[in-house]
C-alpha cells in the first residue's frame, strides 16, 4: 500500500494529502517529526526529508513537487495541473510562488517560529520574525485577491494544484489563528470553497498535542 | 524571438540559460536588476519575478521550474528530465533540493549577503549569515559527493536538469570564490565536466561591474 510519511501541520504533507485525495488515490499515513527523523528515513540520504511517499512497488519518492509530477505522469486521469501546456505553466508558477516565496516569507517566520520551534524544544518564538511574517502574510493575501477575482480560483477556470498548495499553506497558518480573514473577503470566499471539499476534512481534524487550533479552524462557516 | 529576462548571477536565470542552450533553443537576453524591476515587468503582478521567459508568441512564463516544465512539454526532444517517470522523479527531487534547501541555506546567506546586498546598496554583508552559509555549503558539497559517486552525475546515468541546476547555483557562489574545491575531489571532477560544456561558456563570461570574479572562475582546469 502507498504510504505517506508526513507531519500533520507541515504544508508539504498537507499539499500531498489534498492532492492524493483529489486524485482519488488511497494512501496510508505514517506521522514523522521532521526534527527527529526515525533512523530508516534519516538513512535515505541528503534531500530525503518528509513528506516522503513510498509507493506500493517500493519506490521512494521525495520532494513535494517531484511527487506531484510523478503521480500526475503515472495517474493521468483528472489532472490537477491543467489541460494544456500554458495552463500548466500558470498553475506551476503559482505553486512555485508559494513553495518558494510564501514558504520563505511566511512559513519560516510564523509557522517555524510559533509551532516547530516550540515543538522541537527550541524555546519561544522570535518576535521580530513573527512581526515580519504577519506583514508578509497581509501582502500575500492582497496579492491572492487579485488572482482569485478572475475566476474564483488561483490559476485557470477550475480547482487546480495551485489552490491545493495555497490551501495547504494557509490552513497551517490558520491552525495558529494568524490569518485576518476580514482583510480580503474574496480570499475568504476562495478559502471557504477549498476548505469545504471532502479532501480537506482530514486536515481539519488534525490536532497537535498541547496546541489546540484556533476556534474557527475547522469551521466551514468562519 | 524568445527573450529571457534575467540577472547574470541569479541562479534561476543561470539554470534557464543552461537549460535552453542544452535544448538547442535560441533566445535573446534582457538583463534586469531584481531589486529595481522595470515598470513593465513589475506590472505583471505578484509572483512574476525574474527569471521571466517571453516566448515568440507573446506567452509570458515565470517561475524557473514552471518554465522548464513548459519547455519540456512543448519541445520534447532531448529531454533533460529523464526517460521514465521514476528517473524524472529523482531528477526533480534533486532539483527541488537545490531550489528550496540550497537556496535557503547557502544562496540567501552567501550570495544574497555578499553580492545582492551590496549591489542593491544595502551595505556590508552580515558576518553571521556568511559564516552560516559557509558551514552549510560544506555540508552540501559532502552530500553531493555521495550522489556523484554513483554515476558521475547527480541523478541518473547522464547529464540532467539536476546537474544544470546544481551547476547554476554553485557557479554563482564560485564567482565569489567561496567554494573550497579541495574538500570533495569527486564534486570538483563533476563540476569540471559541467563547466566544460558549451552551454556553460556564456556564464563563465559574465562580469559584474566593480566586482570581478575569483581568479579561477572561468578556468576549466581549476
Amino acid at each position: 500500500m502507498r504510504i505517506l510519511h508526513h507531519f500533520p501541520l507541515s504544508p508539504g504533507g498537507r499539499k500531498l494529502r489534498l492532492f492524493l485525495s483529489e486524485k482519488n488515490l488511497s494512501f496510508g499515513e505514517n506521522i514523522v517529526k521532521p526534527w527527529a527523523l526515525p533512523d530508516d528515513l534519516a538513512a535515505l540520504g541528503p534531500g530525503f526529508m518528509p513528506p516522503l511517499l513510498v509507493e506500493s512497488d517500493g519506490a521512494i519518492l521525495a520532494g513535494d513537487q517531484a511527487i506531484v509530477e510523478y503521480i500526475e505522469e503515472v495517474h493521468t486521469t483528472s489532472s490537477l495541473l491543467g489541460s494544456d501546456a500554458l495552463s500548466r505553466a500558470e498553475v506551476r508558477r503559482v505553486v512555485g510562488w508559494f513553495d518558494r516565496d510564501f514558504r520563505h516569507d511566511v512559513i519560516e517566520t510564523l509557522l517555524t517560529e510559533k509551532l516547530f520551534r516550540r515543538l522541537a524544544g527550541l524555546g519561544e518564538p522570535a518576535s521580530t520574525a513573527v512581526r515580519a511574517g504577519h506583514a508578509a502574510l497581509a501582502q500575500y493575501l492582497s496579492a491572492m485577491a487579485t488572482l482569485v477575482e478572475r475566476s474564483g480560483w488561483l490559476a485557470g477556470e477550475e480547482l487546480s494544484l495551485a489552490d491545493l498548495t495555497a490551501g495547504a499553506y494557509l490552513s497551517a497558518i490558520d491552525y495558529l489563528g494568524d490569518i485576518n480573514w476580514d482583510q480580503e473577503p474574496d480570499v475568504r470566499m476562495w478559502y471557504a470553497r477549498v476548505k469545504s471539499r471532502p479532501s480537506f476534512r482530514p486536515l481539519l481534524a488534525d490536532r497537535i498535542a498541547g496546541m489546540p487550533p484556533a476556534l474557527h479552524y475547522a469551521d466551514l462557516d468562519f
Side-chain angles (χ1 to χ4, degrees), chain A:
Chain A
M1 188 191 192
R2 180 182 291 119
I3 303 283
L4 180 67
H5 301 263
H6 73 95
F7 182 78
L9 282 200
S10 138
R14 300 197 137 213
K15 172 181 168 174
L16 289 174
R17 290 156 75 194
L18 294 172
F19 173 73
L20 290 169
S21 174
E22 293 282 347
K23 294 281 285 186
N24 288 315
L25 296 172
S26 61
F27 60 99
E29 297 180 60
N30 177 37
I31 306 301
V32 291
K33 297 173 179 170
W35 60 94
L37 278 191
D39 290 345
D40 57 334
L41 296 186
L44 290 174
F48 279 98
M49 286 292 289
L52 293 163
L53 190 68
V54 181
E55 288 280 271
S56 323
D57 62 5
I60 300 170
L61 305 166
D64 35 286
Q65 193 56 24
I67 296 174
V68 163
E69 299 284 354
Y70 176 84
I71 296 287
E72 281 277 327
E73 287 188 8
V74 174
H75 302 277
T76 51
T77 52
S78 60
S79 170
L80 286 154
L81 288 173
S83 54
D84 60 84
L86 211 51
S87 307
R88 286 190 287 274
E90 175 65 2
V91 168
R92 289 187 179 112
R93 180 186 78 77
V94 175
V95 169
W97 179 47
F98 274 88
D99 279 347
R100 198 170 89 183
D101 298 342
F102 189 91
R103 172 184 291 272
H104 175 268
D105 298 338
V106 182
I107 296 298
E108 286 175 10
T109 52
L110 291 183
L111 198 67
T112 299
E113 289 294 329
K114 294 185 76 170
L115 180 81
F116 287 105
R117 200 175 161 80
R118 195 169 293 181
L119 289 176
L122 297 172
E124 291 299 305
S127 57
T128 47
V130 171
R131 268 198 304 275
H134 280 139
L137 176 59
Q139 291 188 317
Y140 279 93
L141 292 175
S142 162
M144 288 177 70
T146 67
L147 294 178
V148 297
E149 74 179 4
R150 298 177 301 188
S151 70
W153 302 107
L154 282 172
E157 300 298 316
E158 50 191 28
L159 176 93
S160 75
L161 184 69
D163 303 292
L164 302 183
T165 302
Y169 282 100
L170 286 186
S171 65
I173 301 288
D174 198 39
Y175 187 97
L176 305 175
D178 281 28
I179 298 178
N180 171 18
W181 289 113
D182 290 334
Q183 184 197 319
E184 301 291 346
D186 288 349
V187 178
R188 168 186 253 156
M189 280 176 61
W190 162 84
Y191 188 57
R193 267 195 300 279
V194 173
K195 193 177 183 179
S196 57
R197 294 185 76 85
S199 63
F200 230 87
R201 269 181 223 144
L203 279 66
L204 299 180
D206 283 342
R207 293 294 179 273
I208 304 291
M211 296 190 77
L215 287 178
H216 67 272
Y217 171 68
D219 190 351
L220 295 183
D221 185 24
F222 56 104

